[in-house]
Coordinates of all heavy atoms in Angstrom, one line a residue:
M1 N 0.8 -1.2 0.0 CA 0.0 0.0 0.0 C 0.9 1.2 0.0 O 1.8 1.4 0.8 CB -0.9 0.0 1.3 CG -1.9 1.1 1.3 SD -3.0 0.9 2.7 CE -4.3 0.1 1.9
S2 N 0.7 2.2 -0.9 CA 1.5 3.4 -1.0 C 1.1 4.3 0.2 O 0.1 4.2 0.8 CB 1.3 4.1 -2.3 OG 0.0 4.7 -2.4
Q3 N 2.0 5.3 0.4 CA 1.7 6.3 1.4 C 0.4 7.0 1.2 O -0.4 7.3 2.1 CB 2.9 7.3 1.5 CG 2.7 8.3 2.6 CD 3.8 9.4 2.7 OE1 4.7 9.4 1.8 NE2 3.8 10.2 3.7
T4 N 0.1 7.4 -0.1 CA -1.1 8.1 -0.4 C -2.3 7.2 -0.1 O -3.3 7.7 0.5 CB -1.2 8.4 -1.9 OG1 0.0 9.3 -2.2 CG2 -2.4 9.1 -2.3
D5 N -2.2 5.9 -0.3 CA -3.4 5.0 -0.1 C -3.7 4.9 1.4 O -4.8 4.6 1.8 CB -3.1 3.7 -0.7 CG -3.0 3.7 -2.2 OD1 -3.6 4.6 -2.8 OD2 -2.4 2.8 -2.8
S6 N -2.7 5.0 2.2 CA -2.9 4.8 3.7 C -3.3 6.1 4.4 O -3.7 6.0 5.5 CB -1.6 4.3 4.3 OG -0.5 5.2 4.2
R7 N -3.2 7.2 3.7 CA -3.5 8.5 4.4 C -5.0 8.8 4.1 O -5.5 8.6 3.0 CB -2.7 9.7 3.9 CG -1.2 9.5 4.3 CD -0.4 10.7 4.0 NE -0.4 11.1 2.6 CZ 0.1 12.2 2.2 NH1 0.7 13.1 3.0 NH2 0.1 12.5 0.9
K8 N -5.6 9.4 5.1 CA -7.0 9.9 4.9 C -7.0 11.4 4.5 O -6.2 12.1 5.2 CB -7.8 9.7 6.2 CG -9.2 10.1 6.1 CD -10.0 9.9 7.4 CE -11.4 10.4 7.2 NZ -12.2 10.2 8.5
F9 N -7.7 11.7 3.5 CA -7.7 13.1 3.0 C -9.1 13.7 3.3 O -10.1 13.1 3.2 CB -7.4 13.2 1.5 CG -6.0 12.8 1.2 CD1 -5.6 11.5 1.0 CD2 -5.1 13.9 1.1 CE1 -4.3 11.2 0.8 CE2 -3.7 13.6 0.8 CZ -3.3 12.3 0.6
A10 N -9.1 15.0 3.7 CA -10.3 15.8 3.9 C -10.3 17.0 3.0 O -9.2 17.6 2.7 CB -10.4 16.2 5.3
A11 N -11.5 17.3 2.4 CA -11.6 18.5 1.5 C -11.7 19.8 2.4 O -12.4 19.8 3.4 CB -12.8 18.3 0.7
F12 N -10.9 20.7 2.0 CA -10.9 22.1 2.5 C -11.2 23.0 1.4 O -10.6 23.0 0.3 CB -9.5 22.5 3.1 CG -9.2 21.8 4.4 CD1 -8.8 20.5 4.4 CD2 -9.3 22.5 5.6 CE1 -8.5 19.8 5.6 CE2 -9.0 21.9 6.8 CZ -8.6 20.5 6.8
S13 N -12.2 23.9 1.6 CA -12.6 24.9 0.6 C -12.4 26.3 1.2 O -12.4 26.5 2.4 CB -14.1 24.7 0.3 OG -14.3 23.5 -0.3
Y14 N -12.1 27.2 0.3 CA -11.9 28.6 0.6 C -12.5 29.4 -0.5 O -12.3 29.2 -1.7 CB -10.4 28.9 0.7 CG -10.1 30.3 1.1 CD1 -10.4 30.8 2.4 CD2 -9.4 31.2 0.3 CE1 -10.2 32.1 2.8 CE2 -9.1 32.5 0.7 CZ -9.5 32.9 1.9 OH -9.2 34.2 2.3
S15 N -13.3 30.4 -0.1 CA -14.0 31.3 -1.0 C -13.7 32.7 -0.7 O -13.6 33.1 0.5 CB -15.5 31.1 -0.9 OG -15.9 29.8 -1.3
F16 N -13.5 33.5 -1.8 CA -13.3 34.9 -1.6 C -13.7 35.6 -2.9 O -14.0 35.0 -3.9 CB -11.8 35.2 -1.3 CG -10.8 34.6 -2.3 CD1 -10.3 35.5 -3.3 CD2 -10.5 33.3 -2.3 CE1 -9.5 35.0 -4.3 CE2 -9.6 32.8 -3.3 CZ -9.1 33.6 -4.2
S17 N -13.6 36.9 -2.8 CA -14.0 37.8 -4.0 C -12.7 38.4 -4.5 O -11.9 39.0 -3.7 CB -15.0 38.8 -3.5 OG -15.4 39.6 -4.6
D18 N -12.4 38.2 -5.8 CA -11.2 38.8 -6.4 C -11.5 40.1 -7.1 O -12.1 40.2 -8.2 CB -10.7 37.8 -7.5 CG -9.4 38.3 -8.1 OD1 -9.0 39.5 -7.9 OD2 -8.8 37.5 -8.9
P19 N -11.2 41.2 -6.4 CA -11.6 42.6 -6.9 C -10.8 43.0 -8.2 O -11.2 43.9 -8.9 CB -11.3 43.5 -5.8 CG -10.3 42.8 -4.9 CD -10.5 41.3 -5.1
W20 N -9.8 42.3 -8.5 CA -9.0 42.6 -9.7 C -9.4 41.8 -10.9 O -8.9 42.0 -12.0 CB -7.5 42.3 -9.4 CG -6.9 43.3 -8.4 CD1 -6.5 44.5 -8.6 CD2 -6.8 43.0 -7.0 NE1 -6.1 45.1 -7.4 CE2 -6.3 44.2 -6.4 CE3 -7.1 41.9 -6.2 CZ2 -6.0 44.2 -5.0 CZ3 -6.8 42.0 -4.8 CH2 -6.3 43.1 -4.3
A21 N -10.3 40.9 -10.8 CA -10.7 40.0 -11.9 C -11.6 40.7 -12.9 O -11.6 40.4 -14.0 CB -11.4 38.7 -11.4
G22 N -12.4 41.6 -12.4 CA -13.4 42.3 -13.3 C -12.9 43.6 -13.8 O -11.7 44.0 -13.6
E23 N -13.7 44.3 -14.6 CA -13.3 45.6 -15.2 C -13.2 46.6 -14.0 O -12.3 47.4 -14.1 CB -14.4 46.0 -16.1 CG -14.5 45.2 -17.4 CD -13.4 45.4 -18.3 OE1 -12.9 46.5 -18.5 OE2 -12.9 44.4 -18.9
T24 N -14.0 46.5 -13.0 CA -14.0 47.4 -11.9 C -14.1 46.6 -10.6 O -14.4 45.4 -10.7 CB -15.2 48.5 -11.9 OG1 -16.4 47.8 -11.7 CG2 -15.2 49.2 -13.2
A25 N -13.8 47.2 -9.5 CA -13.9 46.5 -8.2 C -15.3 46.0 -8.0 O -15.5 45.0 -7.3 CB -13.5 47.4 -7.1
E26 N -16.3 46.7 -8.5 CA -17.7 46.3 -8.3 C -18.0 45.0 -9.1 O -18.9 44.3 -8.9 CB -18.7 47.3 -8.8 CG -18.7 48.6 -7.9 CD -17.5 49.5 -8.1 OE1 -17.0 49.6 -9.3 OE2 -17.0 50.1 -7.1
D27 N -17.1 44.7 -10.1 CA -17.3 43.5 -11.0 C -16.5 42.3 -10.4 O -16.1 41.4 -11.1 CB -16.8 43.8 -12.4 CG -17.7 44.8 -13.1 OD1 -18.8 44.9 -12.8 OD2 -17.1 45.5 -14.0
A28 N -16.1 42.4 -9.2 CA -15.2 41.3 -8.6 C -15.8 40.0 -8.8 O -17.0 39.7 -8.8 CB -15.1 41.6 -7.1
Q29 N -14.9 39.1 -9.1 CA -15.2 37.7 -9.4 C -15.2 36.8 -8.1 O -14.2 36.9 -7.4 CB -14.2 37.1 -10.4 CG -14.4 35.6 -10.7 CD -13.3 35.1 -11.7 OE1 -12.5 35.9 -12.2 NE2 -13.4 33.8 -11.9
D30 N -16.2 36.1 -7.9 CA -16.2 35.1 -6.7 C -15.3 33.9 -7.1 O -15.5 33.4 -8.2 CB -17.6 34.7 -6.4 CG -18.4 35.8 -5.7 OD1 -17.8 36.7 -5.1 OD2 -19.7 35.8 -5.9
V31 N -14.5 33.6 -6.2 CA -13.6 32.4 -6.4 C -13.8 31.4 -5.3 O -13.8 31.8 -4.1 CB -12.1 32.9 -6.4 CG1 -11.1 31.7 -6.6 CG2 -11.9 34.0 -7.5
T32 N -13.9 30.2 -5.6 CA -14.0 29.1 -4.6 C -13.0 28.0 -5.0 O -13.0 27.6 -6.2 CB -15.4 28.5 -4.5 OG1 -16.3 29.5 -4.2 CG2 -15.4 27.3 -3.5
L33 N -12.1 27.7 -4.1 CA -11.0 26.7 -4.3 C -11.2 25.6 -3.3 O -11.5 25.9 -2.1 CB -9.7 27.4 -4.1 CG -9.3 28.5 -5.0 CD1 -8.1 29.2 -4.6 CD2 -9.2 28.1 -6.4
S34 N -11.1 24.4 -3.8 CA -11.2 23.2 -2.9 C -10.2 22.2 -3.2 O -10.0 21.9 -4.4 CB -12.6 22.6 -3.1 OG -12.8 21.6 -2.2
F35 N -9.5 21.8 -2.2 CA -8.4 20.8 -2.3 C -8.5 19.8 -1.2 O -9.0 20.1 -0.1 CB -7.0 21.5 -2.3 CG -6.9 22.5 -3.4 CD1 -7.0 23.8 -3.1 CD2 -6.7 22.1 -4.7 CE1 -6.9 24.8 -4.1 CE2 -6.5 23.1 -5.7 CZ -6.6 24.4 -5.4
R36 N -7.9 18.6 -1.4 CA -7.9 17.6 -0.4 C -6.6 17.5 0.3 O -5.6 17.5 -0.4 CB -8.3 16.2 -1.0 CG -9.7 16.2 -1.6 CD -9.9 15.0 -2.4 NE -9.0 15.2 -3.7 CZ -8.8 14.2 -4.6 NH1 -9.4 13.0 -4.4 NH2 -8.1 14.5 -5.7
F37 N -6.6 17.5 1.7 CA -5.4 17.5 2.4 C -5.4 16.4 3.4 O -6.4 16.0 4.0 CB -5.2 18.8 3.2 CG -5.0 20.0 2.3 CD1 -6.1 20.8 2.0 CD2 -3.8 20.3 1.8 CE1 -6.0 21.9 1.2 CE2 -3.7 21.4 1.0 CZ -4.8 22.2 0.6
A38 N -4.2 15.8 3.6 CA -4.0 14.8 4.7 C -3.7 15.5 6.0 O -3.2 16.6 6.0 CB -2.9 13.8 4.4
K39 N -4.0 14.8 7.1 CA -3.6 15.4 8.4 C -2.1 15.5 8.5 O -1.4 14.5 8.2 CB -4.1 14.5 9.5 CG -3.9 15.0 10.9 CD -4.5 14.0 11.9 CE -4.3 14.5 13.3 NZ -4.9 13.5 14.3
P40 N -1.6 16.6 8.9 CA -0.1 16.8 8.9 C 0.5 15.9 10.1 O -0.2 15.7 11.1 CB 0.1 18.3 9.2 CG -1.1 18.8 9.6 CD -2.2 17.9 9.2
T41 N 1.7 15.5 9.9 CA 2.4 14.7 10.9 C 3.0 15.7 11.9 O 3.0 16.9 11.7 CB 3.5 13.9 10.3 OG1 4.5 14.8 9.8 CG2 3.0 13.0 9.2
K42 N 3.4 15.2 13.1 CA 4.0 16.0 14.1 C 5.3 16.7 13.5 O 5.5 17.8 13.8 CB 4.4 15.2 15.3 CG 3.2 14.7 16.1 CD 3.6 13.9 17.3 CE 2.3 13.4 18.1 NZ 2.7 12.6 19.2
L43 N 6.0 15.9 12.7 CA 7.2 16.5 12.1 C 6.9 17.7 11.2 O 7.6 18.7 11.1 CB 8.0 15.4 11.3 CG 9.3 15.8 10.6 CD1 10.3 16.3 11.6 CD2 9.8 14.7 9.8
Q44 N 5.8 17.5 10.4 CA 5.4 18.6 9.5 C 5.0 19.9 10.3 O 5.3 21.0 9.9 CB 4.3 18.1 8.6 CG 4.8 17.2 7.5 CD 3.6 16.5 6.8 OE1 2.6 16.2 7.3 NE2 3.9 16.1 5.5
I45 N 4.2 19.7 11.4 CA 3.8 20.8 12.2 C 5.1 21.4 12.8 O 5.2 22.7 12.9 CB 2.9 20.3 13.3 CG1 1.6 19.8 12.7 CG2 2.6 21.4 14.3 CD1 0.8 20.8 12.0
Q46 N 6.0 20.6 13.3 CA 7.2 21.2 13.9 C 8.0 22.0 12.9 O 8.5 23.1 13.2 CB 8.1 20.0 14.5 CG 9.3 20.5 15.2 CD 9.0 21.3 16.4 OE1 8.2 20.9 17.3 NE2 9.5 22.5 16.6
R47 N 8.1 21.5 11.7 CA 8.8 22.2 10.6 C 8.2 23.5 10.3 O 8.8 24.5 10.1 CB 8.9 21.3 9.3 CG 9.8 21.9 8.3 CD 10.0 21.0 7.1 NE 8.9 20.2 6.7 CZ 8.8 18.9 6.5 NH1 9.8 18.2 6.8 NH2 7.7 18.3 6.1
L48 N 6.8 23.5 10.3 CA 6.1 24.8 10.1 C 6.4 25.8 11.2 O 6.7 26.9 10.9 CB 4.6 24.5 10.0 CG 3.7 25.7 10.1 CD1 3.7 26.4 8.7 CD2 2.3 25.4 10.5
Q49 N 6.4 25.3 12.4 CA 6.6 26.2 13.5 C 8.1 26.7 13.5 O 8.3 27.9 13.8 CB 6.3 25.5 14.9 CG 4.9 25.2 15.0 CD 4.6 24.3 16.2 OE1 5.4 23.5 16.6 NE2 3.3 24.3 16.7
D50 N 9.0 25.9 13.2 CA 10.4 26.3 13.1 C 10.7 27.3 12.0 O 11.5 28.2 12.2 CB 11.3 25.1 12.9 CG 11.4 24.1 14.1 OD1 11.0 24.5 15.2 OD2 11.8 23.0 13.9
K51 N 10.1 27.2 10.9 CA 10.3 28.0 9.7 C 9.4 29.3 9.7 O 9.8 30.3 9.0 CB 10.2 27.3 8.4 CG 11.2 26.2 8.3 CD 11.1 25.5 7.0 CE 12.1 24.3 6.9 NZ 13.4 24.7 6.4
A52 N 8.3 29.3 10.4 CA 7.3 30.4 10.3 C 7.9 31.7 10.7 O 7.6 32.7 10.2 CB 6.1 30.0 11.1
A53 N 8.8 31.7 11.7 CA 9.4 33.0 12.2 C 10.2 33.6 11.2 O 10.3 34.8 11.1 CB 10.2 32.7 13.5
K54 N 10.9 32.8 10.3 CA 11.8 33.4 9.3 C 11.0 33.7 8.0 O 11.3 34.7 7.4 CB 12.9 32.4 9.0 CG 13.9 32.2 10.1 CD 14.9 31.1 9.7 CE 15.8 30.8 10.9 NZ 16.7 29.7 10.7
N55 N 10.1 32.9 7.7 CA 9.3 33.1 6.4 C 8.0 32.4 6.5 O 7.9 31.2 6.1 CB 10.1 32.6 5.2 CG 9.5 33.0 3.9 OD1 8.3 33.3 3.8 ND2 10.3 33.0 2.8
A56 N 7.0 33.1 7.0 CA 5.7 32.4 7.3 C 5.0 32.0 6.0 O 4.4 30.9 6.0 CB 4.8 33.4 8.0
G57 N 5.2 32.8 4.9 CA 4.5 32.4 3.7 C 5.1 31.1 3.1 O 4.4 30.2 2.7
Q58 N 6.4 31.0 3.1 CA 7.1 29.8 2.6 C 6.8 28.6 3.5 O 6.6 27.5 3.0 CB 8.6 29.9 2.5 CG 9.3 28.8 1.8 CD 8.8 28.6 0.4 OE1 8.8 29.5 -0.4 NE2 8.5 27.4 0.0
A59 N 6.7 28.8 4.8 CA 6.4 27.7 5.8 C 5.0 27.2 5.5 O 4.7 26.0 5.5 CB 6.5 28.2 7.2
S60 N 4.0 28.1 5.2 CA 2.7 27.7 4.9 C 2.6 26.9 3.6 O 2.0 25.9 3.5 CB 1.8 28.9 4.8 OG 1.6 29.5 6.1
R61 N 3.3 27.4 2.6 CA 3.4 26.8 1.3 C 3.9 25.4 1.4 O 3.4 24.4 0.8 CB 4.2 27.7 0.3 CG 4.3 27.2 -1.1 CD 5.1 28.1 -1.9 NE 5.3 27.6 -3.3 CZ 4.5 27.8 -4.3 NH1 3.4 28.5 -4.1 NH2 4.8 27.3 -5.5
N62 N 5.0 25.2 2.1 CA 5.6 23.9 2.3 C 4.6 22.9 3.0 O 4.5 21.8 2.5 CB 6.9 24.0 3.2 CG 8.0 24.7 2.5 OD1 8.0 24.9 1.3 ND2 9.0 25.1 3.2
L63 N 3.9 23.4 4.0 CA 2.9 22.5 4.7 C 1.8 22.1 3.7 O 1.5 20.9 3.7 CB 2.3 23.2 5.9 CG 1.3 22.4 6.6 CD1 1.9 21.2 7.3 CD2 0.5 23.2 7.6
V64 N 1.2 23.0 3.0 CA 0.1 22.6 2.2 C 0.6 21.7 1.0 O -0.1 20.8 0.6 CB -0.7 23.8 1.6 CG1 -1.4 24.5 2.8 CG2 0.1 24.7 0.8
L65 N 1.8 21.9 0.5 CA 2.3 21.1 -0.6 C 2.6 19.7 0.0 O 2.5 18.7 -0.8 CB 3.5 21.7 -1.3 CG 3.1 22.9 -2.2 CD1 4.4 23.6 -2.7 CD2 2.2 22.5 -3.3
D66 N 3.1 19.6 1.2 CA 3.4 18.3 1.8 C 2.1 17.5 2.1 O 2.1 16.3 2.1 CB 4.1 18.5 3.2 CG 5.5 18.8 3.0 OD1 6.1 18.8 1.9 OD2 6.1 19.2 4.1
C67 N 1.0 18.2 2.3 CA -0.2 17.5 2.8 C -1.3 17.3 1.7 O -2.2 16.6 1.9 CB -0.8 18.3 4.0 SG 0.2 18.3 5.4
V68 N -1.2 18.0 0.6 CA -2.2 18.0 -0.4 C -2.2 16.6 -1.1 O -1.2 15.9 -1.3 CB -2.0 19.1 -1.5 CG1 -0.8 18.9 -2.4 CG2 -3.2 19.3 -2.3
H69 N -3.4 16.2 -1.5 CA -3.6 15.0 -2.3 C -2.8 15.1 -3.6 O -2.8 16.1 -4.2 CB -5.0 14.7 -2.6 CG -5.3 13.4 -3.1 ND1 -5.1 13.0 -4.4 CD2 -5.9 12.3 -2.5 CE1 -5.4 11.7 -4.6 NE2 -6.0 11.3 -3.4
P70 N -2.1 14.0 -4.0 CA -1.3 14.1 -5.2 C -2.1 14.5 -6.4 O -1.5 15.2 -7.3 CB -0.7 12.7 -5.4 CG -0.7 12.1 -4.0 CD -1.9 12.7 -3.3
D71 N -3.3 14.1 -6.5 CA -4.1 14.5 -7.7 C -4.5 16.0 -7.7 O -4.9 16.5 -8.7 CB -5.4 13.6 -7.7 CG -5.1 12.2 -8.0 OD1 -4.0 11.8 -8.4 OD2 -6.1 11.4 -7.8
D72 N -4.4 16.6 -6.5 CA -4.7 18.1 -6.4 C -3.5 19.0 -6.4 O -3.6 20.2 -6.5 CB -5.5 18.3 -5.1 CG -6.9 17.7 -5.1 OD1 -7.3 17.2 -6.1 OD2 -7.5 17.6 -4.0
K73 N -2.3 18.4 -6.4 CA -1.1 19.2 -6.2 C -0.9 20.2 -7.3 O -0.5 21.3 -7.0 CB 0.1 18.2 -6.1 CG 1.4 19.0 -5.6 CD 2.4 18.0 -5.2 CE 3.6 18.7 -4.5 NZ 4.5 17.8 -3.9
Q74 N -1.0 19.8 -8.6 CA -0.8 20.8 -9.7 C -1.8 21.9 -9.6 O -1.4 23.1 -9.8 CB -0.8 20.1 -11.0 CG -0.4 21.0 -12.2 CD 1.0 21.6 -12.0 OE1 2.0 20.8 -11.8 NE2 1.1 22.9 -12.1
A75 N -3.0 21.6 -9.4 CA -4.1 22.6 -9.3 C -3.8 23.6 -8.2 O -4.0 24.8 -8.3 CB -5.5 22.0 -9.2
L76 N -3.4 23.1 -7.0 CA -3.0 23.9 -5.9 C -1.8 24.8 -6.2 O -1.8 26.0 -6.0 CB -2.7 23.1 -4.7 CG -2.2 23.8 -3.4 CD1 -3.3 24.9 -3.0 CD2 -1.9 22.8 -2.3
T77 N -0.8 24.2 -6.8 CA 0.4 25.0 -7.2 C 0.0 26.1 -8.2 O 0.4 27.3 -8.0 CB 1.4 24.1 -7.9 OG1 1.8 23.0 -6.9 CG2 2.7 24.8 -8.3
D78 N -0.9 25.8 -9.2 CA -1.3 26.8 -10.1 C -2.1 27.9 -9.4 O -1.9 29.1 -9.6 CB -2.2 26.2 -11.2 CG -1.4 25.3 -12.1 OD1 -0.1 25.3 -12.1 OD2 -2.1 24.5 -12.8
A79 N -3.0 27.5 -8.5 CA -3.8 28.5 -7.7 C -2.9 29.4 -6.8 O -3.2 30.6 -6.7 CB -4.8 27.8 -6.9
M80 N -1.9 28.8 -6.3 CA -1.0 29.6 -5.4 C -0.2 30.6 -6.2 O 0.2 31.6 -5.7 CB 0.0 28.7 -4.6 CG -0.8 28.0 -3.4 SD 0.3 27.2 -2.3 CE 1.1 26.0 -3.3
E81 N 0.1 30.3 -7.5 CA 0.8 31.2 -8.4 C -0.1 32.4 -8.6 O 0.3 33.6 -8.7 CB 1.1 30.6 -9.7 CG 2.3 29.6 -9.6 CD 3.6 30.3 -9.2 OE1 3.9 31.4 -9.7 OE2 4.3 29.7 -8.3
E82 N -1.4 32.2 -8.8 CA -2.4 33.3 -9.1 C -2.8 34.0 -7.8 O -2.9 35.2 -7.8 CB -3.6 32.8 -9.8 CG -4.6 33.8 -10.2 CD -5.7 33.4 -11.1 OE1 -5.7 32.1 -11.4 OE2 -6.5 34.2 -11.5
Y83 N -2.9 33.3 -6.7 CA -3.4 33.8 -5.4 C -2.4 33.4 -4.3 O -2.7 32.4 -3.6 CB -4.8 33.4 -5.1 CG -5.8 33.7 -6.1 CD1 -6.4 32.7 -6.9 CD2 -6.3 35.0 -6.3 CE1 -7.4 33.0 -7.9 CE2 -7.2 35.3 -7.3 CZ -7.8 34.3 -8.0 OH -8.7 34.7 -9.0
P84 N -1.3 34.0 -4.2 CA -0.2 33.6 -3.2 C -0.7 33.5 -1.8 O -0.2 32.7 -1.0 CB 0.9 34.6 -3.4 CG 0.6 35.3 -4.6 CD -0.8 35.2 -4.9
G85 N -1.7 34.3 -1.4 CA -2.2 34.3 0.0 C -2.9 33.1 0.4 O -3.1 32.8 1.6
I86 N -3.4 32.3 -0.6 CA -4.2 31.1 -0.2 C -3.3 30.0 0.5 O -3.9 29.2 1.3 CB -4.9 30.4 -1.4 CG1 -3.9 29.9 -2.4 CG2 -5.9 31.4 -2.0 CD1 -4.5 29.0 -3.4
A87 N -2.0 30.0 0.4 CA -1.2 29.1 1.1 C -1.4 29.3 2.6 O -1.6 28.3 3.4 CB 0.3 29.2 0.7
T88 N -1.4 30.5 3.0 CA -1.5 30.8 4.5 C -3.0 30.5 4.9 O -3.2 30.0 6.0 CB -1.2 32.3 4.7 OG1 0.1 32.6 4.3 CG2 -1.4 32.6 6.2
S89 N -3.9 30.8 4.0 CA -5.3 30.5 4.4 C -5.6 29.0 4.6 O -6.2 28.6 5.6 CB -6.3 31.0 3.3 OG -6.2 32.4 3.2
F90 N -5.1 28.2 3.6 CA -5.2 26.7 3.8 C -4.4 26.2 4.9 O -4.9 25.3 5.7 CB -4.9 26.0 2.5 CG -6.0 26.0 1.5 CD1 -5.9 26.7 0.3 CD2 -7.2 25.3 1.7 CE1 -6.9 26.8 -0.7 CE2 -8.2 25.4 0.8 CZ -8.1 26.1 -0.4
A91 N -3.2 26.7 5.1 CA -2.4 26.2 6.2 C -3.1 26.5 7.6 O -3.0 25.7 8.5 CB -1.0 26.8 6.2
T92 N -3.6 27.7 7.7 CA -4.4 28.0 8.9 C -5.5 27.1 9.2 O -5.7 26.6 10.3 CB -4.8 29.5 8.8 OG1 -3.7 30.3 8.7 CG2 -5.6 29.9 10.1
A93 N -6.3 26.8 8.1 CA -7.4 25.9 8.3 C -6.9 24.5 8.7 O -7.6 23.8 9.5 CB -8.2 25.8 6.9
I94 N -5.8 24.0 8.1 CA -5.3 22.7 8.5 C -4.9 22.7 9.9 O -5.2 21.8 10.7 CB -4.1 22.3 7.5 CG1 -4.6 22.1 6.1 CG2 -3.4 21.1 8.1 CD1 -3.6 22.0 5.1
I95 N -4.2 23.7 10.3 CA -3.7 23.8 11.7 C -4.9 23.8 12.7 O -4.9 23.2 13.7 CB -2.8 25.1 11.9 CG1 -1.5 25.0 11.1 CG2 -2.5 25.3 13.4 CD1 -0.7 23.8 11.4
K96 N -5.9 24.6 12.3 CA -7.1 24.6 13.2 C -7.7 23.2 13.4 O -8.3 22.9 14.4 CB -8.2 25.6 12.6 CG -7.8 27.0 12.9 CD -8.9 27.9 12.3 CE -8.6 29.4 12.5 NZ -9.7 30.2 12.0
G97 N -7.6 22.4 12.3 CA -8.1 21.0 12.4 C -7.4 20.1 13.2 O -7.9 19.0 13.6
V98 N -6.1 20.4 13.5 CA -5.3 19.5 14.3 C -5.0 20.1 15.7 O -4.3 19.7 16.5 CB -4.0 19.0 13.6 CG1 -4.4 18.2 12.4 CG2 -3.1 20.2 13.3

């Protein structure tokens, strides 16, 4: 059984309004993103805590990329390129869950 097969994944969704997507701020586009994440290990949480003081954004990015379902990884990476702040949002939601 592979590591992916033995881990349980839960869907996390995040919705927000993108004021830069439309012609004007009033034309903001609603965005909903949903990805599946595994429960982080103690080591992954410790790594997040150790690195967060130096670079919180990168620490969050590392955590979500470590925990995301392999089938969702490319879509998450693409979404983080367009919306860099979502790494922190998803990492916060994951931390709240553990």
Side-chain angles (χ1 to χ4, degrees):
M1 183 174 267
S2 73
Q3 182 182 6
T4 300
D5 295 336
S6 64
R7 296 190 299 173
K8 181 178 178 182
F9 290 85
F12 286 77
S13 295
Y14 183 64
S15 297
F16 59 96
S17 186
D18 181 353
W20 295 277
E23 294 288 322
T24 67
E26 291 78 32
D27 296 332
Q29 176 184 356
D30 290 333
V31 177
T32 299
L33 301 168
S34 184
F35 303 102
R36 296 166 291 172
F37 296 96
K39 182 177 180 180
T41 64
K42 289 179 183 179
L43 180 62
Q44 289 168 328
I45 296 295
Q46 186 63 50
R47 187 172 43 232
L48 171 76
Q49 292 169 336
D50 291 345
K51 295 185 185 268
K54 293 178 186 172
N55 189 337
Q58 188 62 49
S60 293
R61 185 178 172 88
N62 291 346
L63 178 69
V64 297
L65 288 174
D66 283 348
C67 296
V68 72
H69 191 285
D71 293 345
D72 294 349
K73 192 169 191 170
Q74 186 60 52
L76 174 60
T77 301
D78 294 345
M80 287 190 298
E81 286 298 315
E82 186 169 0
Y83 303 109
I86 66 166
T88 302
S89 298
F90 279 113
T92 300
I94 291 167
I95 295 302
K96 284 181 181 180
V98 295

